[in-house]
Amino acid sequence: MTDMDIPVADMTTPLGRAIAFIWREAELLDNKDYDAWGALWAEDGHYVVPIDPDTDDFESQLNYAYDDARMRRLRIERFTSGHSMSAADSARTIRTVSRFSLVGIDNDLVEVRSAQLLAAHKRGTTTLFAANLTHRVRLLPGGALLDRKVVRLINSQEALNALGFLL
């Protein structure tokens, strides 16, 4: 066995498969590969960035993002069309996702909590975003789909700027 043979996650367990999926999602976002990121999602999945850090009632609360499939497609179109000023000069980002814990497994649905540090660099300024993440991943025989992602920023109740990217 060489160092190149060491698996990044234990792909024999649901948690390991979900962790590998979450790392892949982070890589796609850092590479601004939004079309590939959009393909990760289940059609009925939701991407949520709530303002209230304690709420689970996203539908009736004000959120930074509460995107269904249509809103994700519009967001991706805005990021890739070149017509949005924030997307045309978007920040370069690096995400680190760690501290994984298994919330639960229900048939093919795996829910995982983790921590994310995101460094965004734009126009000579680097900004750090910290968040608790919750991913619900559908592990299917042919791959995985993202059912829900909730990004709970630690400073979500303060004024935020420079969010011209997905968290």
Side-chain angles (χ1 to χ4, degrees), residues 8-9 18 30 34 61-62 72 79-80 93 98 101 103 109-111 125 165:
V8 294
D30 284 338
Y34 298 119
Q61 301 286 316
L62 185 60
R72 286 192 309 274
F79 285 152
T80 57
T93 60
S98 64
S101 64
V103 176
L109 202 59
V110 178
E111 187 165 326
T125 301
F165 49 84

Side-chain angles (χ1 to χ4, degrees), residues 19-34:
I19 289 170
F21 181 86
I22 292 165
W23 282 336
R24 176 76 179 133
E25 183 214 8
E27 181 181 23
L28 291 174
L29 290 173
D30 284 338
N31 291 331
K32 298 180 177 42
D33 193 347
Y34 298 119

Side-chain angles (χ1 to χ4, degrees), residues 11 57 60 68-69 73 87 102 112 114 123 127 138 156-157 167:
M11 298 297 281
D57 182 11
S60 67
D68 58 10
R73 280 192 289 275
L102 180 63
V112 177
S114 61
R123 297 185 196 137
T127 307
R138 290 184 193 160
S156 64
Q157 295 185 307
L167 294 165

